[in-house]
Amino acid sequence: MSSLSDKMEEEELERPNSASEKRYFPESLDSSDGDEEGILACEDLELNPFDGLPYSSRYYKLLKEREDLPIWKEKYSFMENLLQNQIVIVSGDAKCGKSSQVPQWCAEYCLSIHYQHGGVVCTQVHKPTAVQLALRVADEMDVNIGHEVGYVIPFENCCTSETILRYCTDDMLQREMMSSPFLGSYGVIILDDVHERSMATDVLLGLLKDVLLARPELKLIINSSPHLISKLSSYYGNVPLIEVKKQHPVEVVHLSGAQTEPLESVLRLIFEIHQSCEKGDIVVFLACEQDIEKAYEIVCQEGSNLNPDLGELVVVPLYPEEKCALFKPSDETEKRCQVYQRRVVLTASSGESLIWSNSVKFVIDVGVERRKVYNPRIRANSLVTQPISQSQADMRKQILGSSSSGKLFCLYSEEFARKDMRPLKPAEMQEANLTSMVLFLKRIDIAGLGHCDFMNRPAPESLMQALEDLDYLAALDNDGNLSEFGIIMSEFPLDPQLSKSILASCEFDCVEEMLTIAAMVTAPSCFSNLPHGAEEAALTCWKTFLHPEGDHFTLINIYKAYQDVALNSTSEHCVEKWCHDYFLNCCALRMADVIRAELLEIVKRIELPCAEPAFGSKENALNIKKALLSGHFMQIARDVDGSGNYLMLTHKQVAQLHPLSGYSISKKMPEWVLFHKFSISENNYVRITSEISPELFMQLAPPYYFSNLPPSESKDILHQVMDHLSPLSTTKKEQKMCEKCPETTEQRCTIQ
């Protein structure tokens, strides 16, 4: 916490010009006059009630900006409802201020009752949003980030035990319930951006119903766009609703003919807007990451040929969720944006709540998105291009809501919006793999919160597949409850298959190596996006890291090389230069380093055995493959014709190795591979692959999983392998198959 002298020194630097400048501060909620806030003018320094230090003049400057937000007019109504009710719903458009102001008002409420029930937590769907909001709110409250206000996102905790208001991703609050099921540290819980329908938020909505019954003093605030309000009201019953009035109208231009060639239309519009000399930044919503990369390359090339008097187009690619956390504009980009006229932000469907600048005057929306839809029958995601929802289209319009001169270009007709767009964004729970969610709910059931009343029930087939997978991974006992393995697996913030591989690595003496693999596949790709013409040079650099045993081993080589450079470098700049020279993503490698450190901490905390690293020996390579197979035996493919056409063992989909796979680079195609990722799309690629032998598969895959595989040539080959194994081993496998027959498995796979 800042010292008083530091704050006083800051105050001297930021002293108001006029001694008569008014100071605004909220009165305590239990004051007798009932006014929303007191307005006091005095020459003495007023103290911030949250840290006891004098306010800086910047506090008042930001306070004036806060008072101009649309939600500010609803403060009195909100505080009154918060005092009298356990649940309050806040409905407002994007940029109305609900995500920054409501948590501060809740912090004032907790302060007024001396934090007797705890502090405030506000969930966010996106990691960058949680960080940016925490920084903004700490500034507005005139306190230090990481102390009174903080944030918690996966693998990063910027809070202390004294933190009053914390922003966190919804999955982190969900994980906190494993150790504190009733969330006793909090007096107010705010679920923000509920309309995003993320799986973690939907789970929290259901579980908090029981928590609220057990803790009558707990307050729950639900922030949402207006589109979901009727559904939320019926879900939670008759609860108070605070509605924030709509902002300025936006001019909408529908360009129906642009749907045939959306990318060309987008590029044409960008240059037309720029040449019109109208002021303002441009945000472009594209369908997918590939379109972002194409548009980025073309705008950069063509923009350099434009009349310099128009100013340079500064192109900012904002990638989907898995990459947007890594995007931070460089200092050079920030300076350029101040000098030149226009910034062009290229993003995909996940970017609605990530656009913060009030300088945005133009939005271009293609009206379609590429979504991942999980198919439980084949245990794979399909990349499906489909229209966005009407609620998403409206959210994109709201980016311009604070500007009276904004313009939205829709590259689709009004009829398309009315007939082809569904009203609401689909819930992630209805389109995603549920295995991690079911593992969490099974863990929570230990604390008596296993029943979850979902706003939208997941498909029974998806639930059964998740339960079946957990059973294959030995995470469930014969009664369908979590086994000891399952309890330990739930401690890791990873996919259950990766968690199982880490546990297996304890048996095979390769924990250090498995932690590195887990960190590298969890972090974003360590390979940089290549500029046009740099492919050959990049491949030459990457070849130095290739390992003959497969991509998982190559990732270990890259991480070890990065660590060696980081340890021997005198500055961070040297590490960044090394990554740049080898076409590696420095931010992703830093993230992998952080993830690995946390995973190692978990291993030590739960006292799992951890052998000394022995990477490089043949025995160690075999042990790593055993650990990988123990968790990923459901992700096996076989080259059926010797030319790189890999048929999945669990279904009849055919895929090729990704071009960046070490096997693709070295032109050596193994017959059997274990893969980490597979999605059905235009290019059916398996990513991060390592060679395995059918004998090893038969030794480590659960026999009842093998018996449930569909008939295929690959299964016949595995049958022959099993026949050549020792008779004793075969007898044991047959006994296990009898013990865990499909009928028994189906009986006990029930979620409570």
Side-chain angles (χ1 to χ4, degrees):
M1 189 176 293
S2 300
S3 66
L4 182 59
S5 59
D6 291 340
K7 199 84 174 205
M8 291 288 287
E9 186 177 346
E10 179 187 356
E11 181 63 30
E12 286 296 325
L13 295 173
E14 300 184 348
R15 179 81 61 188
N17 294 326
S18 169
S20 62
E21 181 175 344
K22 291 186 177 181
R23 308 188 66 99
Y24 298 88
F25 64 96
E27 291 185 346
S28 61
L29 294 174
D30 55 356
S31 61
S32 57
D33 60 10
D35 289 339
E36 178 191 350
E37 59 182 15
I39 302 177
L40 186 66
C42 69
E43 296 179 357
D44 297 331
L45 290 175
E46 298 296 336
L47 299 183
N48 187 334
F50 291 105
D51 63 5
L53 301 177
Y55 283 123
S56 66
S57 60
R58 178 167 173 77
Y59 169 80
Y60 300 101
K61 177 185 175 183
L62 293 177
L63 182 59
K64 290 177 181 177
E65 294 178 10
R66 294 167 61 192
E67 289 171 343
D68 290 334
L69 291 170
I71 198 169
W72 192 265
K73 298 173 184 176
E74 309 298 331
K75 181 176 181 181
Y76 180 80
S77 174
F78 173 82
M79 298 302 277
E80 190 176 36
N81 278 288
L82 180 65
L83 282 169
Q84 298 174 1
N85 299 276
Q86 195 175 19
I87 304 173
V88 179
I89 297 176
V90 179
S91 167
D93 292 339
K95 300 175 76 171
C96 72
K98 62 183 185 296
S99 299
S100 60
Q101 303 311 302
V102 168
Q104 294 186 61
W105 300 341
C106 293
E108 292 172 17
Y109 161 77
C110 290
L111 173 67
S112 72
I113 58 173
H114 309 292
Y115 309 109
Q116 57 182 311
H117 305 309
V120 182
V121 64
C122 179
T123 66
Q124 298 294 318
V125 174
H126 304 286
K127 291 180 285 187
T129 317
V131 176
Q132 291 183 42
L133 276 169
L135 291 169
R136 173 70 183 178
V137 168
D139 198 18
E140 290 183 354
M141 293 176 65
D142 208 17
V143 296
N144 290 325
I145 188 69
H147 292 270
E148 292 80 13
V149 176
Y151 63 86
V152 182
I153 61 176
F155 308 107
E156 186 176 354
N157 187 342
C158 185
C159 290
T160 67
S161 57
E162 298 176 355
T163 299
I164 300 161
L165 167 58
R166 67 182 63 198
Y167 283 87
C168 70
T169 50
D170 48 8
D171 58 327
M172 293 306 292
L173 185 62
Q174 180 181 288
R175 286 197 65 80
E176 190 173 339
M177 292 189 75
M178 294 200 310
S179 57
S180 178
F182 296 99
L183 298 172
S185 301
Y186 307 113
V188 181
I189 296 173
I190 305 165
L191 300 183
D192 200 6
D193 287 339
V194 172
H195 55 269
E196 292 271 1
R197 302 307 307 276
S198 72
M199 192 186 306
T201 293
D202 274 11
V203 169
L204 287 169
L205 281 170
L207 290 177
L208 285 174
K209 279 188 169 184
D210 291 334
V211 175
L212 289 168
L213 291 174
R215 291 186 58 201
E217 76 283 359
L218 178 65
K219 307 286 187 178
L220 173 64
I221 313 300
I222 301 172
N223 287 348
S224 177
S225 70
H227 312 92
L228 198 64
I229 293 305
S230 60
K231 196 173 183 69
L232 282 169
S233 298
S234 60
Y235 182 62
Y236 269 104
N238 186 24
V239 296
L241 172 63
I242 306 296
E243 292 185 272
V244 183
K245 294 179 180 179
K246 290 185 178 293
Q247 303 173 57
H248 298 287
V250 173
E251 181 183 351
V252 180
V253 180
H254 287 275
L255 303 172
S256 54
Q259 280 180 282
T260 52
E261 295 291 342
L263 192 57
E264 288 184 13
S265 301
V266 163
L267 296 170
R268 185 173 62 252
L269 270 172
I270 290 173
F271 295 124
E272 285 178 1
I273 292 169
H274 189 53
Q275 290 170 345
S276 72
C277 296
E278 291 184 63
K279 299 288 185 181
D281 292 337
I282 306 170
V283 174
V284 184
F285 285 98
L286 297 164
C288 59
E289 184 178 334
Q290 289 77 13
D291 287 351
I292 293 175
E293 291 172 354
K294 289 178 187 175
Y296 175 76
E297 186 175 342
I298 294 172
V299 175
C300 287
Q301 287 177 353
E302 298 295 327
S304 61
N305 300 324
L306 295 174
N307 185 347
D309 294 338
L310 295 172
E312 184 181 357
L313 285 175
V314 181
V315 189
V316 181
L318 187 63
Y319 288 103
E321 184 66 23
E322 63 268 25
K323 290 191 176 181
C324 64
L326 300 176
F327 170 70
K328 291 182 180 177
S330 64
D331 293 337
E332 181 184 353
T333 301
E334 290 293 339
K335 289 175 184 175
R336 288 165 65 195
C337 288
Q338 293 171 15
V339 175
Y340 298 104
Q341 290 184 349
R342 202 182 310 277
R343 182 189 303 212
V344 180
V345 179
L346 305 174
T347 185
S349 59
S350 63
E352 290 98 335
S353 60
L354 300 178
I355 308 300
W356 292 81
S357 176
N358 288 325
S359 64
V360 176
K361 302 295 182 184
F362 305 95
V363 171
I364 303 172
D365 181 12
V366 299
V368 295
E369 63 178 345
R370 183 170 294 178
R371 298 178 64 85
K372 283 184 180 180
V373 180
Y374 186 73
N375 186 336
R377 295 183 181 179
I378 60 175
R379 293 184 172 87
N381 286 311
S382 297
L383 293 177
V384 182
T385 301
Q386 59 187 22
I388 61 174
S389 66
Q390 293 172 7
S391 61
Q392 286 173 283
D394 198 46
M395 288 288 292
R396 295 174 181 187
K397 184 197 301 184
Q398 292 167 23
I399 291 172
L400 300 165
S402 59
S403 170
S404 58
S405 59
K407 187 178 290 187
L408 169 66
F409 295 94
C410 298
L411 305 190
Y412 51 85
S413 65
E414 293 181 76
E415 184 181 9
F416 176 85
R418 189 171 59 254
K419 292 184 177 180
D420 295 303
M421 291 182 177
R422 65 186 88 184
L424 297 173
K425 183 178 180 179
E428 184 186 5
M429 187 176 292
Q430 297 177 315
E431 296 185 339
N433 185 347
L434 304 181
T435 309
S436 294
M437 184 201 78
V438 173
L439 179 65
F440 166 75
L441 289 177
K442 287 288 183 182
R443 173 67 182 265
I444 287 294
D445 190 50
I446 297 172
L449 288 173
H451 173 73
C452 191
D453 179 20
F454 298 115
M455 189 153 56
N456 287 93
R457 294 291 297 176
E461 187 178 21
S462 297
L463 278 175
M464 287 304 301
Q465 174 265 317
L467 288 160
E468 186 178 54
D469 285 2
L470 290 176
D471 194 40
Y472 288 149
L473 293 168
L476 304 179
D477 61 21
N478 290 335
D479 297 320
N481 300 315
L482 277 194
S483 64
E484 289 185 17
F485 258 127
I487 293 171
I488 299 174
M489 284 166 59
S490 68
E491 289 289 326
F492 291 94
L494 300 170
D495 179 272
Q497 291 173 283
L498 265 179
S499 301
K500 178 63 184 295
S501 289
I502 290 176
L503 293 187
S505 69
C506 298
E507 177 187 350
F508 298 119
D509 296 330
C510 56
V511 174
E512 292 283 344
E513 294 82 1
M514 197 61 233
L515 290 178
T516 300
I517 292 172
M520 290 292 281
V521 299
T522 302
S525 173
C526 63
F527 299 106
S528 295
N529 289 326
L530 299 179
H532 185 68
E535 293 85 353
E536 189 173 338
L539 289 176
T540 302
C541 291
W542 294 341
K543 280 181 182 178
T544 60
F545 303 111
L546 292 186
H547 194 290
E549 296 292 348
D551 296 338
H552 296 87
F553 298 81
T554 297
L555 292 178
I556 296 177
N557 277 343
I558 293 173
Y559 179 77
K560 286 172 66 68
Y562 167 78
Q563 266 201 324
D564 290 343
V565 172
L567 289 172
N568 297 320
S569 296
T570 55
S571 68
E572 193 65 33
H573 175 72
C574 297
V575 180
E576 291 174 357
K577 184 180 183 305
W578 177 83
C579 290
H580 180 268
D581 292 344
Y582 281 88
F583 299 92
L584 296 174
N585 188 328
C586 190
C587 290
L589 287 168
R590 282 198 201 105
M591 178 65 71
D593 206 24
V594 171
I595 293 171
R596 192 186 186 283
E598 181 162 330
L599 296 179
L600 182 60
E601 188 178 324
I602 294 172
V603 166
K604 291 178 178 178
R605 174 168 56 81
I606 57 183
E607 299 181 348
L608 294 176
C610 187
E612 288 293 320
F615 186 66
S617 67
K618 287 186 177 181
E619 182 183 4
N620 179 257
L622 180 62
N623 285 340
I624 292 172
K625 289 183 179 182
K626 286 179 178 180
L628 285 168
L629 261 172
S630 297
H632 295 80
F633 52 83
M634 289 177 273
Q635 294 173 204
I636 305 297
R638 173 177 160 265
D639 186 354
V640 292
D641 56 8
S643 60
N645 291 312
Y646 285 87
L647 185 68
M648 307 292 112
L649 197 57
T650 52
H651 50 83
K652 295 183 179 180
Q653 293 289 335
V654 177
Q656 284 74 41
L657 299 180
H658 192 270
L660 293 184
S661 170
Y663 297 120
S664 297
I665 295 172
S666 63
K667 309 297 182 185
K668 295 178 181 178
M669 303 295 176
E671 183 180 3
W672 294 84
V673 294
L674 175 150
F675 59 89
H676 183 69
K677 289 182 181 178
F678 170 65
S679 292
I680 300 171
S681 59
E682 298 151 2
N683 299 311
N684 284 4
Y685 288 134
V686 285
R687 300 168 185 262
I688 312 178
T689 54
S690 290
E691 182 177 11
I692 56 119
S693 68
E695 291 80 11
L696 201 60
F697 172 82
M698 291 307 300
Q699 289 174 23
L700 292 165
Y704 54 102
Y705 167 75
F706 175 71
S707 67
N708 288 338
L709 287 174
S712 66
E713 182 184 357
S714 299
K715 186 174 182 179
D716 294 339
I717 293 172
L718 292 172
H719 260 301
Q720 294 173 14
V721 169
M722 187 170 67
D723 292 340
H724 285 87
L725 294 174
S726 66
L728 180 61
S729 174
T730 305
T731 304
K732 287 182 179 179
K733 286 180 181 288
E734 288 173 351
Q735 288 175 355
K736 288 181 180 178
M737 289 169 70
C738 292
E739 290 172 4
K740 293 192 173 183
C741 61
E743 290 79 11
T744 308
T745 303
E746 189 171 344
Q747 279 182 349
R748 69 168 183 265
C749 285
T750 55
I751 188 164
Q752 297 164 354

